[in-house]
Amino acid sequence: MNTVLLENNEKNIVFAAGLIKNGHVVGIPTETVYGLGADALNEDAVRMIFSAKGRPADNPLIVHLADFSQAIEYTSYIPQLAYKLAERFCPGALTMILPKNDRIPLVTSGGLDTVGIRVPSHHIMHNIIEISGCPIAAPSANISGLPSPTCAEHVMRDMDGRISAVIDGGASEFGVESTVISFDNENTARILRPGAVTREMLLEICDNVIIDPAILNELAEGSVASSPGMKYKHYSPKADVIMVESSFEDFVKLVSENNGENTWSLIFNGDKKNFPYKYMTYGADSSEQAHYIFQRLRELDDIGAEKVYVRSPSTDGVGLAVYNRLIRASGFEVIRL
Ligand code: TXA
Ligand code: MG
């Protein structure tokens, strides 16, 4: 299959919407990361997403809508709390897990009786949903297990020859995927995957916000994940990633004692003037770190890094999302000094 890279203009957005309408899979920019979009109601098109990514069939796809008011067409129940959250965070980087109705095929929901609903704010994704008239199923546009793509070039590298087209919308604004939540009851949201909509922001609307234990800890063998994505090693570069929770001085000492030819460090911008080993920086604050993290993991692979020591980020605000992606990239390998 020939994959065309489309520049961002009106004609190409209409063209991409036509492809979606006709059952094709297209790489589409969103404000979080790039998605691999297809008509969520077209089972064959959705199967093509799974095979392009090499994604396990039991890992459900998020369904993207132009407006939250359309959620009623695809779900069997919407709690009041979901409407309140939608008022504040839709469009935006929030995915709400709701009970699905029969219109959402089981292929799309990975066999579950629920569906993740998101209303993206990015104008390209939004316009493609509107023009195609399709709810769009879209996972991140990476090969399963690799870091999520935050620019069109990443999507082309993973998907060239596997999908019909990619639209180039430049770098993703946030750089980490949406916050995924479910509802424990009418007042309580549970974060299944942290993202740009933070726990602190959710608490402005919800009485309680639970951070699912699988966000910070490895799932115990035999236990069932509340979100199937949590059971897979994710965002995994080829290098052996090791998270280090320590002072800068202890970090330098650790690297000096374990430094090899292809050992790299991922450090904060402020660290670099005192760091004598091979390094990349990944931002000065949490939102910058979110913006760069997946790009850096890909770059570390490109330069052949075999071992990567990472300065553990703050877990406040969007930092929790950065920490969660890194700890999964490390396969939960953490050194605490
Ligand atoms: O920002 C995003 O969310 C991006 C853009 C493209 O919208 N999409 C994305 O999709 O990250 P994906 O498939 O890579 O990640 C979705 C996560 C997976 O971990 C999946 O298991 C979980 O959300 N998920 C989706 N539907 C679910 C459901 N019904 N119940 C529980 N977890 C669900
Ligand atoms: Mg993904």
Side-chain angles (χ1 to χ4, degrees):
M1 188 186 294
N2 181 37
T3 305
V4 285
L5 180 60
L6 302 168
E7 62 174 282
N8 172 18
N9 60 42
E10 227 172 284
K11 189 173 127 264
N12 283 341
I13 290 175
V14 173
F15 176 67
L19 287 175
I20 297 276
K21 182 92 200 127
N22 289 308
H24 292 260
V25 178
V26 178
I28 309 172
T30 85
E31 69 277 24
T32 56
V33 300
Y34 276 66
L36 213 52
D39 178 355
L41 308 184
N42 179 334
E43 298 189 19
D44 290 334
V46 170
R47 276 194 201 95
M48 279 172 16
I49 295 181
F50 280 92
S51 65
K53 273 184 75 85
R55 179 171 175 118
D58 67 351
N59 197 358
L61 307 183
I62 293 170
V63 173
H64 300 70
L65 305 175
D67 192 280
F68 190 75
S69 62
Q70 297 165 344
I72 201 151
E73 295 173 41
Y74 307 105
T75 56
S76 58
Y77 173 68
I78 302 178
Q80 277 310 312
L81 183 55
Y83 283 111
K84 279 200 233 161
L85 287 166
E87 220 167 273
R88 173 74 194 275
F89 300 114
C90 295
L94 182 67
T95 298
M96 295 189 251
I97 308 295
L98 297 167
K100 78 173 196 73
N101 69 17
D102 289 346
R103 289 193 70 196
I104 299 288
L106 284 167
V107 213
T108 305
S109 71
L112 298 178
D113 54 9
T114 54
V115 60
I117 299 286
R118 175 158 113 78
V119 180
S121 66
H122 196 292
H123 73 100
I124 296 180
M125 181 56 135
H126 177 86
N127 289 348
I128 291 178
I129 300 168
E130 288 233 299
I131 296 166
S132 68
C134 301
I136 294 187
S140 51
N142 51 288
I143 299 266
S144 214
L146 292 185
S148 294
T150 54
C151 63
E153 193 206 330
H154 296 167
V155 182
M156 282 304 279
R157 281 182 67 174
D158 282 16
M159 292 297 153
D160 196 9
R162 296 169 183 246
I163 61 174
S164 298
V166 177
I167 301 198
D168 189 346
S172 307
E173 181 188 348
F174 295 129
V176 289
E177 308 89 336
S178 63
T179 304
V180 178
I181 62 166
S182 61
F183 298 97
D184 280 21
N185 57 50
E186 290 290 336
N187 310 307
T188 306
R190 172 180 294 266
I191 301 181
L192 303 179
R193 179 179 71 183
V197 173
T198 63
R199 173 169 189 269
E200 293 83 345
M201 289 158 75
L202 292 169
L203 272 170
E204 290 170 24
I205 312 284
C206 311
D207 291 344
N208 306 304
V209 176
I210 294 171
I211 294 185
D212 196 277
I215 286 175
L216 298 172
N217 306 292
E218 195 163 15
L219 207 61
E221 217 171 300
S223 65
V224 179
S226 23
S227 177
M230 294 198 282
K231 58 179 190 213
Y232 301 108
K233 185 174 173 181
H234 239 134
Y235 319 115
S236 178
K238 293 178 207 109
D240 184 15
V241 174
I242 302 147
M243 283 274 266
V244 184
E245 293 181 13
S246 73
S247 67
F248 179 62
E249 290 68 34
D250 287 343
F251 183 86
V252 177
K253 190 156 173 280
L254 178 80
V255 175
S256 76
E257 286 162 359
N258 295 278
N259 196 33
E261 201 189 329
N262 292 311
T263 301
W264 285 73
S265 295
L266 200 51
I267 60 177
F268 307 143
N269 289 31
D271 295 337
K272 66 184 178 192
K273 48 186 179 304
N274 303 314
F275 196 73
Y277 306 102
K278 284 201 279 289
Y279 69 86
M280 287 188 190
T281 56
Y282 74 114
D285 58 35
S286 296
S287 67
E288 234 177 75
Q289 289 168 358
H291 186 81
Y292 287 113
I293 187 59
F294 285 135
Q295 184 183 331
R296 291 293 181 265
L297 290 177
R298 282 179 180 256
E299 287 166 355
L300 285 160
D301 271 350
D302 292 345
I303 55 173
E306 282 168 10
K307 199 181 248 197
V308 180
Y309 290 101
V310 183
R311 284 267 272 150
S312 187
S314 151
T315 54
D316 293 340
V318 72
L320 185 66
V322 180
Y323 183 90
N324 167 262
R325 304 316 187 264
L326 277 169
I327 200 163
R328 302 185 87 79
S330 78
F332 294 90
E333 191 177 352
V334 185
I335 295 177
R336 295 187 174 88
L337 298 173

